[in-house]
Amino acid sequence: MPITIRLIENKDWPHRTLYPGCTKHIGPYLDEHSGRRYTGFNQENEADRIRLEKELHTDLSERSEFWDFFTIPLAEDDLILYPENEPQDELKSIFMAGHAQGCNAENGVDPTKVFVIIDEEKSAEEANKKAKLRRKILRSVDDMSDDDVRNCLRLFGINPQGVSNNVCNHKLDEIVEQQPQRFNDLWLNNPQRSTYILFHKAIGANLVVKTKGVYTYNAEVLGTTPEQCIAYLSSDNHLETRQGIALSLEGQQPKKRNTKAAEANAE
Amino acid sequence: MNNNILGGLQIINTRNASGLVETRSLDHLLATKPYEMGTILSQIFGNYKGEEVNVLDAVTRGLGRVQKIEIDAFEYDWGVEMAFDESNPIVRAEWNGATVTSTDFAGLNNTTVNLYVKNPYYGVGAILSFDNRDIQVRVQSPGFQFGESSCYSVVMADGNPESYIPYKYLVPGKRVAREGSAYEEGSNDADILNYNNSVKLRNKITTSRMKYDITRSAATTKTIVEWIDPKSGKKSYFFTDKQKWTAWREWYRRLDNYNVYSRYNTRPDGTVKVFGTNGRPVHVGAGLFQQFSPANNRPYTRMTPSFIMDMLSDLSYNKLGKGERKFLALTGEMGMRNFSQMLETKAANFQLTDTVFVSGSGQNLTLGGQFTTWKLYNDIELTVAPFRWLDDPSLNRIMDPLTRRPASSQDMYFLDIGHRDGEANLRKIVKMGSENLVWHTGGSIAPDRNTIKDVNTLRSNGYDGYTVNFLTEGGIMLADASTCGVAKYNVI
């Protein structure tokens, strides 16, 4: 499948992407902090670099003179690359794919972006992945009890105490809409979910306190970040602490209201 | 660029005001010779301390390149005439009543092909060619508008029944261009000429202001500015208060800086969403760099002769005549250094009989020099000039990881400072009568006057000194930016 590279429309004055006859080149850049030159190749695609070096008879290493002259000219017309057929186009597509000034359907446009990469195959693949995840999440949300919803909100830093079930469900819907991946990571695919819930409940019940940047339970230091505390509590060596917190929480549960007595009083 | 517009510039600060006559004071000269003094001030501030500080002002107003617009206007527009005959993208092609496909032989047997192109550029009889110039067709009927495209009926121009247009030249996005025209005897048809104002640009002027206070005691120190006119050899001078001189210098610096970096603030629907304290809209015009932004842009990580050649080729190839290819590149200190180093490396390969780099004799030998101009192939000439705005680390905070100096110091802005139809391509825009307005509100003292000891003299406030206000309404105009460009030292 061909890949299309298109300059992003300039919305500022003079509302033209390019003056007629002008060209905008996309080239290598230096990373401000490391000083390394961006070439599109890194450890992950080292094999591609070696293969392309052979096919193009060119040194493609970072310090090669090749990158002193390498630019990809973009004009008002789209640039269409055929990476599966042409090694030159494959090199260009690798270079453009990770370029800091480029964006695609997944990562979106921001003011630092200059061009957009339209790869229908890849976009469809990504869109399918997202849709699949979304379907999976919606199925699991349907099966969640009210307690699950409240526990889930705790993982996202929302305290559900004193909030009605309707509001809790609405907030969960918002999370599912806006952060599906995070919902998947924190709720669906989180092996330490119960520890997360326990920890957040303990904070809500003032059993675990944060003092001077350190989380403690009965003067026992758990860690300085929630992640550290959860790792601490998940460890088998600290099973007693974990059980202690769980028992304390149970002891603090408010007694169920005698609804019949309440109704009688109301009458 | 002429760096020697003013010779022997001297600036002297003194408390001794003897010999200074009223007619040589800056205020008097600005009131009596506003245009001449405006130009001289641009030249002085452009060359202050031998550095081209306000280089943009120096190459526009300093050279008299100023365009005045009407007193009631706050915006100005101009057309940029690009190529008269540009190629025309094909939108669709039809043959035998259907869209042409890869299996068709469009135009075979002298049949008609309907060609849908983006722009209505052609008259009957025009000969058009495709990406392969050997394949030519003749326009047989006047074009008509069809949706967003124009449709022309064409036949093979060579009249050979075996000729046809290969499908690959008719794919949408491919182009046609005019080769000429051909007619029968007694024809009433003719090809047409396109006055092709491809781009119409509109910009606004910006109102800039500054004010400063001068205390009564500071008003007594005078600054005398002396210079020699290199043509006549005559010495001239003017004098002013020292603080006033400092304020003028800062005023010119701010104007020049904002002419480079200002950003247009009017919405596409013509509204402005920024309002001043009195509720009126604040208009800001596009500065030089914003006018550059849709022009040629080529990033680099190492300056090499090939890179500069490629860049200049972008700016001049098929655009400028051989006599017009003189470019000025504005760059920072690091860019100047790299340019000189690059040419030194290039010159190192030559067998030079040196009379330039080594001078002096005996114990007073001197080695060195700096390249600032390079003459290339096809009459291209490039001169680099320092542009101080690119060096300031407080404004340019992305650092070059190698030198830890601002990356912008190595950016190069290639300006075409030639003329178009008798008008300067780069010129300053000012509103008539609204350039460099200066007025004061007096306290215990007024400019060029003594302190007041008469209770009947009215002053506007009780301040022990006076306040001076500056105001100018103007901007910068790069009429045709298609022959300009940026070589950006690419650090992200």
Side-chain angles (χ1 to χ4, degrees):
Chain A
M1 283 290 281
I3 295 172
T4 305
I5 313 283
R6 184 178 297 164
L7 281 173
I8 294 171
E9 194 183 345
N10 176 22
K11 298 240 169 69
D12 290 340
W13 190 96
H15 309 294
R16 290 188 72 91
T17 310
L18 278 177
Y19 294 124
C22 291
T23 316
K24 194 177 275 284
H25 293 256
I26 305 297
Y29 57 86
L30 299 178
D31 181 83
E32 191 193 357
H33 303 291
S34 68
R36 294 194 63 174
R37 181 154 63 176
Y38 171 80
T39 62
F41 293 107
N42 49 34
Q43 285 180 343
E44 284 172 17
N45 56 10
E46 184 72 4
D48 290 335
R49 181 177 71 80
I50 294 165
R51 179 174 52 78
L52 282 170
E53 275 185 349
K54 283 180 188 162
E55 288 179 20
L56 297 168
H57 305 288
T58 311
D59 177 11
L60 296 176
S61 60
E62 188 189 318
R63 297 200 174 273
S64 164
E65 275 190 14
F66 173 83
W67 299 110
D68 290 349
F69 306 103
F70 180 82
T71 62
I72 297 173
L74 297 179
E76 280 194 290
D77 296 338
D78 292 348
L79 172 71
I80 297 171
L81 302 173
Y82 296 89
E84 286 163 12
N85 308 340
E86 295 285 336
Q88 274 284 0
D89 281 8
E90 190 183 352
L91 173 68
K92 285 178 187 172
S93 67
I94 289 172
F95 180 81
M96 296 301 244
H99 200 284
Q101 291 176 311
C103 61
N104 52 31
E106 286 77 51
N107 60 17
V109 181
D110 69 49
T112 62
K113 308 298 181 194
V114 173
F115 63 90
V116 61
I117 304 165
I118 303 159
D119 183 347
E120 283 185 24
E121 184 73 30
K122 205 174 169 190
S123 298
E125 201 180 303
E126 290 294 326
N128 287 344
K129 262 190 210 167
K130 279 186 184 171
K132 199 174 171 186
L133 176 66
R134 195 176 153 73
R135 287 196 297 270
K136 184 178 152 191
I137 289 171
L138 289 176
R139 278 198 301 271
S140 71
V141 167
D142 279 347
D143 296 339
M144 284 169 78
S145 65
D146 287 345
D147 272 353
D148 285 344
V149 172
R150 286 170 183 275
N151 287 336
C152 180
L153 290 182
R154 284 196 176 92
L155 301 189
F156 285 86
I158 299 167
N159 187 357
Q161 276 181 341
V163 181
S164 73
N165 285 345
N166 280 336
V167 174
C168 286
N169 278 311
H170 176 62
K171 285 196 183 296
L172 184 70
D173 284 343
E174 280 180 352
I175 288 169
V176 168
E177 281 288 323
Q178 291 162 9
Q179 308 172 53
Q181 190 60 48
R182 197 154 171 242
F183 180 85
N184 185 50
D185 296 344
L186 283 179
W187 184 256
L188 293 182
N189 284 342
N190 187 357
Q192 295 171 328
R193 189 169 78 187
S194 58
T195 318
Y196 265 88
I197 294 166
L198 185 76
F199 174 70
H200 285 285
K201 272 185 176 173
I203 288 178
N206 205 27
L207 290 172
V208 171
V209 288
K210 188 180 182 184
T211 316
K212 294 179 181 174
V214 178
Y215 290 94
T216 52
Y217 167 66
N218 283 349
E220 183 178 353
V221 175
L222 304 180
T224 54
T225 63
E227 287 73 24
Q228 277 182 8
C229 299
I230 285 152
Y232 182 89
L233 293 173
S234 302
S235 163
D236 289 343
N237 297 338
H238 307 116
L239 202 60
E240 278 183 16
T241 311
R242 190 182 160 155
Q243 283 174 345
I245 293 173
L247 285 171
S248 303
L249 280 171
E250 274 176 24
Q252 285 195 355
Q253 288 290 327
K255 284 178 186 172
K256 281 192 180 174
R257 216 171 172 194
N258 188 337
T259 47
K260 278 185 184 172
E263 280 167 13
N265 285 340
E267 281 171 10
Chain B
M1 201 176 83
N2 184 1
N3 293 338
N4 299 307
I5 302 166
L6 296 177
L9 186 67
Q10 288 208 19
I11 294 157
I12 305 149
N13 292 321
T14 179
R15 279 182 180 266
N16 180 8
S18 64
L20 300 177
V21 292
E22 178 71 22
T23 52
R24 298 307 300 175
S25 82
L26 180 59
D27 298 313
H28 186 269
L29 288 168
L30 279 167
T32 53
K33 298 176 178 177
Y35 180 77
E36 193 181 326
M37 277 316 290
T39 308
I40 286 174
L41 283 177
S42 294
Q43 291 167 359
I44 289 171
F45 294 130
N47 268 299
Y48 184 65
K49 290 183 180 173
E51 296 176 357
E52 287 149 41
V53 181
N54 303 328
V55 69
L56 194 61
D57 191 50
V59 297
T60 51
R61 192 165 48 181
L63 298 176
R65 294 176 173 185
V66 180
Q67 181 180 329
K68 297 195 174 183
I69 62 170
E70 294 302 320
I71 186 80
D72 56 348
F74 60 91
E75 63 181 21
Y76 52 98
D77 55 23
W78 69 100
V80 185
E81 204 166 88
M82 302 295 177
F84 267 110
D85 246 355
E86 59 181 10
S87 60
N88 205 351
I90 295 171
V91 177
R92 190 157 61 95
E94 275 179 4
W95 184 57
N96 283 345
T99 302
V100 177
T101 62
S102 57
T103 54
D104 288 335
F105 296 91
L108 195 70
N109 288 327
N110 298 330
T111 48
T112 305
V113 178
N114 285 338
L115 204 58
Y116 294 80
V117 289
K118 193 175 171 189
N119 301 305
Y121 285 168
Y122 314 114
V124 176
I127 304 289
L128 314 179
S129 67
F130 293 85
D131 284 1
N132 179 347
R133 293 180 73 172
D134 292 339
I135 298 171
Q136 298 181 350
V137 292
R138 182 177 186 272
V139 175
Q140 292 296 96
S141 65
F144 65 88
Q145 195 69 21
F146 187 89
E148 287 184 334
S149 57
S150 298
C151 177
Y152 292 94
S153 296
V154 299
V155 294
M156 297 304 295
D158 62 5
N160 185 350
E162 292 174 6
S163 295
Y164 64 94
I165 313 165
Y167 170 68
K168 63 178 178 181
Y169 301 126
L170 292 172
V171 176
K174 294 284 180 183
R175 289 169 177 263
V176 289
R178 178 189 283 107
E179 290 287 357
S181 59
Y183 297 92
E184 71 284 13
E185 186 182 340
S187 169
N188 196 28
D189 296 320
D191 198 3
I192 55 174
L193 173 68
N194 312 301
Y195 289 100
N196 217 352
N197 265 347
S198 309
V199 183
K200 189 85 174 170
L201 298 174
R202 174 175 293 138
N203 201 353
K204 286 197 171 180
I205 55 171
T206 309
T207 303
S208 299
R209 290 191 60 163
M210 186 182 88
K211 70 176 179 182
Y212 72 96
D213 293 333
I214 182 163
T215 59
R216 184 164 44 86
S217 55
T220 53
T221 304
K222 305 292 177 199
T223 293
I224 304 167
V225 180
E226 264 187 5
W227 71 92
I228 300 167
D229 182 351
K231 281 185 187 164
S232 63
K234 281 186 183 172
K235 205 182 240 188
S236 288
Y237 80 95
F238 67 76
F239 74 94
T240 184
D241 296 340
K242 182 174 182 293
Q243 282 200 350
K244 204 184 283 181
W245 168 252
T246 310
W248 269 102
R249 208 173 65 213
E250 179 61 14
W251 171 237
Y252 266 66
R253 193 192 70 77
R254 287 186 190 182
L255 285 181
D256 211 44
N257 183 56
Y258 203 47
N259 273 331
V260 176
Y261 288 98
S262 67
R263 306 282 300 178
Y264 193 75
N265 73 345
T266 306
R267 308 287 309 145
D269 62 3
T271 58
V272 176
K273 304 286 186 197
V274 185
F275 299 96
T277 45
N278 63 12
R280 294 195 177 98
V282 178
H283 297 279
V284 182
L288 184 68
F289 283 1
Q290 195 170 22
Q291 296 183 43
F292 253 102
S293 59
N296 297 289
N297 191 315
R298 188 181 272 268
Y300 77 98
T301 49
R302 197 159 72 88
M303 192 186 285
T304 61
S306 298
F307 167 76
I308 297 289
M309 284 184 207
D310 288 343
M311 182 74 212
L312 292 170
S313 178
D314 280 353
L315 309 185
S316 60
Y317 180 78
N318 203 25
K319 288 177 187 168
L320 292 173
K322 280 201 172 177
E324 299 172 320
R325 299 176 174 192
K326 306 257 183 297
F327 293 98
L328 172 71
L330 303 176
T331 183
E333 216 167 304
M334 299 304 288
M336 294 285 290
R337 190 188 76 165
N338 289 352
F339 183 77
S340 188
Q341 269 182 355
M342 177 194 75
L343 290 185
E344 280 167 25
T345 312
K346 193 171 174 60
N349 299 327
F350 304 146
Q351 289 287 334
L352 292 178
T353 308
D354 195 294
T355 54
V356 176
F357 283 94
V358 179
S359 57
S361 62
Q363 297 300 308
N364 291 315
L365 278 176
T366 305
L367 172 67
Q370 186 170 8
F371 287 106
T372 55
T373 299
W374 186 18
K375 290 190 176 180
L376 296 93
Y377 59 93
N378 290 349
D379 267 2
I380 296 176
E381 188 179 312
L382 172 66
T383 302
V384 289
F387 200 45
R388 299 294 179 215
W389 309 129
L390 302 174
D391 289 324
D392 189 345
S394 60
L395 288 166
N396 304 293
R397 289 183 292 275
I398 295 178
M399 295 293 159
D400 174 10
L402 308 178
T403 62
R404 301 312 299 169
R405 296 206 169 91
S408 60
S409 184
Q410 297 185 53
D411 292 350
M412 297 182 89
Y413 290 83
F414 292 80
L415 275 173
D416 172 10
I417 55 167
H419 285 76
R420 295 278 182 288
D421 296 330
E423 295 259 35
N425 193 33
L426 177 69
R427 52 188 184 265
K428 189 152 265 194
I429 301 289
V430 290
K431 189 191 265 194
M432 211 172 276
S434 302
E435 187 193 13
N436 277 340
L437 302 185
V438 190
W439 70 95
H440 81 276
T441 48
S444 66
I445 193 169
D448 297 335
R449 284 180 180 81
N450 293 326
T451 47
I452 301 302
K453 293 179 180 171
D454 175 7
V455 74
N456 293 320
T457 302
L458 178 69
R459 287 283 165 83
S460 62
N461 58 43
Y463 176 58
D464 184 14
Y466 62 87
T467 304
V468 178
N469 288 275
F470 289 97
L471 182 148
T472 204
E473 289 182 90
I476 194 87
M477 172 175 164
L478 187 59
D480 179 3
S482 66
T483 51
C484 303
V486 189
K488 204 153 183 56
Y489 184 64
N490 220 8
V491 178
I492 293 177

